[in-house]
Amino acid sequence: MQVIKRDGRKVEFDSSKIESAIKKAFVESNEEYDHNLTLKSISRIDDNMTVEQIQDIVVKVLQSSKFKKTAECYIKYRYKRELDRKGFKSLDKRFQDIIFNGDDENANKPSHLLNVKRDLIAGEYFRYRTEQILPKHLMEAHINKTIHIHDTDFLGDVKVTNCCIFDLEDMLKNGTRVNNADIGEPNSIGVACTVATQIIANIAFQQYGGISCSNFNEIMAYYAKKDFVKEFKYICDILNKKYPDKIDSGITYEDLEYENIKEKTKLKVSKLIEDACQTTEYQLNSISSASQTPFSTLTFNIPTSWESEQIILKYFKVRRDGLGYKEKRTAIFPKLSMFVVDEYNLNKNDKYFNILEDASKTIAKCFYPDILHYNKEDYDMGKYYGRMGCRSKVNHDYKDLTGNYSQYKRFNWGVHTLNLGQVALKSLRDGGGEDNFFKHLKESVCIMEDAIKFRFNHIKDMKAKDAPILFMYGGLARLNAEDSIEHLLRSDISSVSFGYMGIDDATRILLGETIKDENGKKFGLKLMETIREYSDEMKERLNLPISVYPAPIESLIYKAFKSDLKNYEDVMPKWLKERGYYTNSYHYSSELPIDAFEKLLIESEYVKYNNGANINYSEIGLVKNNPSTIIELIQYAHDLGIEYQGFNIRNDKCFECNHEGEMNYDLDTNKYTCPVCGNNNQNKLSVISRLCGYLGNLEERKSVKGRMSEIKNRSIHI
């Protein structure tokens, strides 16, 4: 009998190797060796099986026996051998795979392009280096998907931070440095927006993750006012009208005479604002940070001037107009979000309710803006915060040196995700029940703590000069080149994430109920509360700004599932095997039917525990002609205390027959087809979907199989 080795060679089967590996696992577990398990394993091996298939057989035999510890030890032994085999030979194979086949892990990276291939190859090298420096137990936990250490392609030998809310206001008013260019204060909104996009591009080169600009409309209104003053003076000069001796960007229109001149000036400035918004839209979709469009977010707050309101409305118009001359495709970036505050823009009688109405029309066509809910009391105190990318926030109520709440200079420096589905599977194998679950949860949390400590120790020696636009030129600080950033890593302007995935999955695996059902709801909330308690204790013990984070996992929902299927197939429930992926965060399983309002109600109870991030989605159909539905959901979510709200709409487009609505997707061919005319030319379709916090052009770049299945299976809530 022959077996096929990993390099493809066929060799004679040697049963002693099976016996040796099983014996080593028994020694490691301190359980008494049972020779029958070796014989049972050998009896199931057929001619021309691969080494991996044989190891799968051994795993199943051990898992079905009473020797559970030995089974775990064999799995660890197997992964250790896999690590030992990893070296430049396997790394070179991965390089070749990227060059010739591309990569689908990140749908925002078009891997057929040369610059993207170079970036992906660099990322693989850093992953390789991460394997060399990670402690053995963390690497095993990462490979086994007990936890997931995010962004290992940015670890290795480099020191770099994650997403941020940079201080655009300070950088524009007090100057900054982009590459080798010193940038002074702009004198128009057009230049200010152009500079802002260049700052975002430069930040994207010096960090990974999202780049967020909060209060965008209020910051840019200052420069629109400068344009207003210039245009007002210009028209007055033409008409030989005397304008006030003191007229500057701090004017109020009530102080100005000449109503007709004011109206003409407003028309001119309104056009300048729209042009500046269009410039921002085109710039942020055309610039590239090595391999992808910068993951940028613009957040709009409550306007305090005519210019500020115009910036919001004009940007929404630009987004609805789309990109391109003919097809007018919906832009993927920047993400847009806006604050909704009671007594300002929530209800029909509020002063700026017109902005919410305009936002709902934009959402119905373009997914964005996402909604950030705040009550008037907190908002008026300045106690409000934008989001740093797909959902993350630094919500430690940080105040600056003047004692005011600060919306800027906030950042994250790492994410780690706990696989709750695996915890539930382990507890089932251990006999089931909540006691077993929380015992295994505690074991996994200990590994999480070690991962967070490793991340901190790895990055704490980072100096300001390593990311100068962030730490020297005003993005997050203005330090000297050799200054350490360790004090910022420990401060409340930063966070490190205690992430998790699959609360509903863990509940269904353990209890056979969802978080909607009576017992499932009790267990889900108990689990959520326990995670928060662990996070708070860890934060106090380590003196690090640890926060709970419902992780936005794109490819991990499939990778973690595949790993657990291999190691826990004997206890994995049928519904999970058939579905083929895990569920994100605290969300109700996306394939299960539920009313939109009920879903918001159920998930709203989890929001308060997630101080590092949270978002609640509604999956809605084609509502372009009925945006009032969106307003109703926004008002309901606001009353529930939901903090961050997003909408997934079905607004695909066929450019052959102009059909709008959901396109058919075939998992086997990995292609979309128009249900009306049958067009399957991917270049003549627009298929946009939210992947895990950001949008993707799926007709151009697909995600991993499990994520594509999840998108296809999503149940429409309204």
Side-chain angles (χ1 to χ4, degrees), residues 506-617:
T507 305
R508 293 173 71 185
I509 291 168
L510 196 68
L511 304 181
E513 294 189 5
T514 70
I515 57 172
K516 183 175 93 167
D517 303 312
E518 184 178 355
N519 292 325
K521 177 181 178 180
K522 290 178 183 176
F523 175 78
L525 290 172
K526 179 180 178 181
L527 172 54
M528 185 75 262
E529 186 176 4
T530 303
I531 290 172
R532 177 59 186 269
E533 288 173 355
Y534 278 132
S535 174
D536 289 347
E537 290 168 3
M538 203 181 296
K539 176 182 179 182
E540 186 72 22
R541 185 167 56 254
L542 301 182
N543 188 29
L544 294 174
I546 300 168
S547 55
V548 176
Y549 186 74
I553 48 178
E554 178 180 342
S555 61
L556 185 60
I557 66 167
Y558 182 62
K559 291 182 175 180
F561 164 79
K562 290 289 286 184
S563 176
D564 287 349
L565 179 64
K566 180 183 290 186
N567 298 324
Y568 300 95
E569 185 178 8
D570 57 317
V571 293
M572 183 178 283
K574 182 180 178 181
W575 64 264
L576 183 53
K577 292 177 185 177
E578 292 177 347
R579 192 181 70 180
Y581 53 84
Y582 279 128
T583 300
N584 279 28
S585 71
Y586 57 82
H587 295 155
Y588 184 73
S589 294
S590 61
E591 81 281 7
L592 299 180
I594 190 172
D595 175 76
F597 294 91
E598 184 180 13
K599 182 175 185 288
L600 289 172
L601 177 63
I602 292 167
E603 294 179 354
S604 67
E605 297 192 56
Y606 292 83
V607 169
K608 64 182 180 182
Y609 298 104
N610 291 273
N611 61 331
N614 50 62
I615 189 163
N616 296 74
Y617 292 121

Side-chain angles (χ1 to χ4, degrees), residues 388-424:
M388 303 180 297
C390 55
R391 69 192 63 187
S392 57
K393 63 176 181 175
V394 182
N395 193 12
H396 302 301
D397 295 342
Y398 172 72
K399 293 185 178 182
D400 60 23
L401 295 177
T402 66
N404 296 317
Y405 290 104
S406 176
Q407 288 84 44
Y408 314 129
K409 290 184 168 66
R410 308 165 82 78
F411 70 104
N412 181 275
W413 46 270
V415 179
H416 318 80
T417 292
L418 184 64
N419 180 358
L420 296 176
Q422 187 181 115
V423 175

Side-chain angles (χ1 to χ4, degrees), residues 68-69 72 76 141 144-147 418-448 498 506 509-510 523 527 530-531 534 568 571:
K68 305 302 183 186
K69 289 184 180 179
E72 293 285 345
K76 289 182 179 180
N144 196 32
K145 294 301 172 241
T146 301
I147 66 167
L418 184 64
N419 180 358
L420 296 176
Q422 187 181 115
V423 175
L425 292 170
K426 282 182 179 179
S427 65
L428 278 188
R429 181 177 289 167
D430 205 18
E434 289 190 21
D435 290 343
N436 277 328
F437 179 89
F438 286 104
K439 178 189 75 172
H440 289 296
L441 177 66
K442 187 172 184 179
E443 292 169 357
S444 297
V445 167
C446 290
I447 299 172
M448 282 282 286
F498 183 125
I509 291 168
L510 196 68
F523 175 78
L527 172 54
T530 303
I531 290 172
Y534 278 132
Y568 300 95
V571 293

Side-chain angles (χ1 to χ4, degrees), residues 14 23 90 255 350 463 521 545:
D14 184 354
K23 280 184 175 180
S90 62
D255 297 334
D350 293 343
K463 294 184 177 181
K521 177 181 178 180

Side-chain angles (χ1 to χ4, degrees), residues 270-283:
S270 180
K271 182 64 169 63
L272 292 175
I273 288 172
E274 183 172 347
D275 290 347
C277 291
Q278 188 177 52
T279 295
T280 305
E281 188 86 334
Y282 274 96
Q283 285 272 69

